[in-house]
Amino acid sequence: MKRATRILHDPYTPPAGFDAPQPGVYKASTVFFPNTQAMRERNWMDKSGYTYGLHGTPTTFTLEERISNLEGGTYCTLAPSGLAAIVMVDLAFLKAGDHLLLPDNVYGPSLVTAKGLLRDLGVSYSTYDPMQPASLRAALTDKTRLVWLEAPGSVTMEFPPLDELVMIAKEAGVVTALDNTWAAGLALCGFDLGDDGHGNALGVDVVMQALTKYPSGGGDVLMGSIVTRDADLHAQIQRVHMYTGIGVAANDAELLLRSLPSMTVRYQTQFEQALALAQWCENRAEFSAVLYPTLEKSPGHVHWKRLCNGTGAGLFSVLVDARYSAQQVDRFVDALKLFKIGYSWGGPVSLVVPYDLKEMRAKPAWQGTLVRFSLGFEALEDLQADIEQALKTLVSP
């Protein structure tokens, strides 16, 4: 046998029994089968074996199992971003002629998807006020097939009565999907929201999370997850996964597996940082409101207190007093030194983004410009001092 052949077909097999803190990283497009019978019998849907790299390797199967455990679910499908996971859910449960319901404080790209891709596919949508269960009930139609929920709402941070909303949707026989990125599977279990009043467990049907945030924690990986407890719903999601050719890279899965063990510590630390800084912001005259579900004055605090376990994400927003213009707020944000201007959150570096509520909401509930802070791991005193020095630009000529 020539050397060129030997380096590809050597008989060596590493001995079994190797174990270490981190699982192995398997990179594959092609997967070898021992014989044709095995090739024909393996089913990519049930994860009982390996068929092709797109449908999973030991690395991605391990990550899916751990995310399922994190969310309290049974089945998990990975996606290359949080938005990709949202779109997979939409495509799994909606077809031409169907109706989709979104909370009016939904994640912006989800709304853009409804206005664009889904509309082009013949799916209609409307929004409801997640803080008013009656609004959801009134918005349901006989064509509604999917209701999205967020806890809390994107940017403005209202925490809805999730259990009441899920009850209404279930009474109508509509699939519910929760964006659980803020709670990260730690502050809230979407599958366990209490009791439906008849002795049955109450929970959503599908939980989605942007693993880009807290599960990654490094600000360097894009990934999303979709978790269910229902085999039939999982099968629908898996079919979309196959039809669209969506997959995740083994090295990205490796980074997630490496970060997950420290996730609870990171999440709690950033929560404590955010709570302390949010409470400090409440006493600043430049801010008319601080939007953070853990604060008593924040919309939906009573629901957060009832449904969560006393913790939350290191993410909150402030409303800058209406006497300051949007240009002045931009100047304040630009003056921040430790807070870097950038989207996403959950990473090691603190971030800040200003938002114009008039462009985000059909009926803005507050006046003024909103600024969202994401806490990293800088010292709390330094972050506080950074905001304090930047606020001076609001009154400077």
Side-chain angles (χ1 to χ4, degrees):
M1 188 180 292
K2 299 295 185 181
R3 290 179 182 174
T5 304
R6 288 205 305 268
I7 62 175
L8 293 173
H9 295 272
D10 70 275
Y12 178 75
T13 299
F18 178 83
D19 201 7
Q22 295 300 325
V25 181
Y26 293 84
K27 304 177 186 179
S29 51
T30 298
V31 173
F32 295 143
F33 300 92
N35 51 57
T36 53
Q37 181 178 352
M39 181 186 72
R40 293 181 176 125
E41 288 181 349
R42 286 188 191 174
N43 182 357
W44 64 271
M45 285 280 288
D46 63 12
K47 295 184 179 179
S48 60
Y50 304 101
T51 58
Y52 190 67
L54 186 65
H55 304 309
T57 69
T59 307
T60 55
F61 282 8
T62 299
L63 179 57
E64 287 173 339
E65 190 67 22
R66 292 185 182 181
I67 297 299
S68 289
N69 292 334
L70 171 67
E71 295 283 13
T74 308
Y75 309 99
C76 177
T77 302
L78 298 175
S81 70
L83 180 57
I86 290 171
V87 174
M88 284 175 64
V89 172
D90 289 339
L91 296 179
F93 303 116
L94 297 167
K95 64 181 186 303
D98 288 345
H99 175 244
L100 165 68
L101 274 173
L102 300 171
D104 61 17
N105 55 5
V106 70
Y107 174 55
S110 184
L111 179 61
V112 171
T113 298
K115 290 180 176 180
L117 173 65
L118 297 182
R119 180 198 61 191
D120 293 343
L121 294 175
V123 175
S124 63
Y125 86 95
S126 56
T127 62
Y128 67 94
D129 181 354
M131 303 303 289
Q132 301 294 331
S135 174
L136 173 60
R137 191 183 299 276
L140 287 164
T141 76
D142 59 357
K143 294 183 178 180
T144 305
R145 297 294 179 265
L146 177 63
V147 172
W148 270 104
L149 306 156
E150 287 195 21
S154 182
V155 179
T156 43
M157 300 288 167
E158 306 95 331
F159 203 99
L162 277 178
D163 47 355
E164 297 178 48
L165 298 175
V166 171
M167 187 88 72
I168 290 169
K170 285 192 174 295
E171 289 172 354
V174 177
V175 173
T176 53
L178 168 67
D179 184 336
N180 203 31
T181 304
W182 187 88
L186 298 174
L188 173 74
C189 176
F191 298 110
D192 185 12
L193 299 175
D195 189 286
D196 67 357
H198 303 286
N200 303 310
L202 180 66
V204 297
D205 298 303
V206 177
V207 173
M208 166 267 159
Q209 186 179 163
L211 305 181
T212 306
K213 274 67 171 180
Y214 289 107
S216 163
D220 56 356
V221 178
L222 288 165
M223 199 177 295
S225 61
I226 308 165
V227 177
T228 71
R229 286 182 174 177
D230 186 287
D232 291 336
L233 297 182
H234 176 64
Q236 290 178 254
I237 295 164
Q238 283 290 88
R239 280 192 285 271
V240 171
H241 175 269
M242 190 272 287
Y243 297 153
T244 55
I246 287 178
V248 301
N251 287 123
D252 288 344
E254 174 194 15
L255 290 174
L256 262 295
L257 286 167
R258 186 172 183 177
S259 297
L260 281 177
S262 66
M263 181 181 168
T264 55
V265 177
R266 290 184 284 105
Y267 191 84
Q268 184 64 23
T269 297
Q270 290 178 320
F271 161 65
E272 292 171 0
Q273 293 264 84
L275 179 58
L277 192 60
Q279 290 170 333
W280 178 83
C281 287
E282 281 190 304
N283 296 316
R284 297 293 310 199
E286 297 92 343
F287 302 139
S288 58
V290 180
L291 307 176
Y292 192 40
T294 63
L295 299 177
E296 288 187 9
K297 295 180 181 178
S298 190
H301 169 75
V302 64
H303 308 311
W304 168 84
K305 190 173 182 179
R306 184 178 78 253
L307 295 170
C308 293
N309 59 13
T311 189
L315 185 79
F316 69 91
S317 297
V318 298
L319 281 168
V320 182
D321 193 275
R323 68 180 182 270
Y324 300 112
S325 67
Q327 291 75 22
Q328 287 175 297
V329 175
D330 282 352
R331 189 167 63 190
F332 157 69
V333 172
D334 289 341
L336 291 164
K337 294 179 171 57
L338 297 179
F339 286 92
K340 301 302 182 183
I341 301 172
Y343 295 109
S344 198
W345 29 278
V349 177
S350 293
L351 302 174
V352 62
V353 180
Y355 291 90
D356 185 346
L357 290 179
K358 294 189 295 295
E359 296 179 357
M360 296 181 61
R361 304 284 185 263
K363 297 178 180 179
W366 304 278
Q367 297 298 313
T369 304
L370 182 146
V371 176
R372 188 183 73 181
F373 294 106
S374 166
L375 276 290
F377 293 115
E378 299 89 348
L380 178 61
E381 295 81 0
D382 292 334
L383 294 175
Q384 181 177 311
D386 191 27
I387 294 176
E388 193 162 24
Q389 66 83 23
L391 284 173
K392 296 176 181 177
T393 64
L394 290 175
V395 295
S396 63

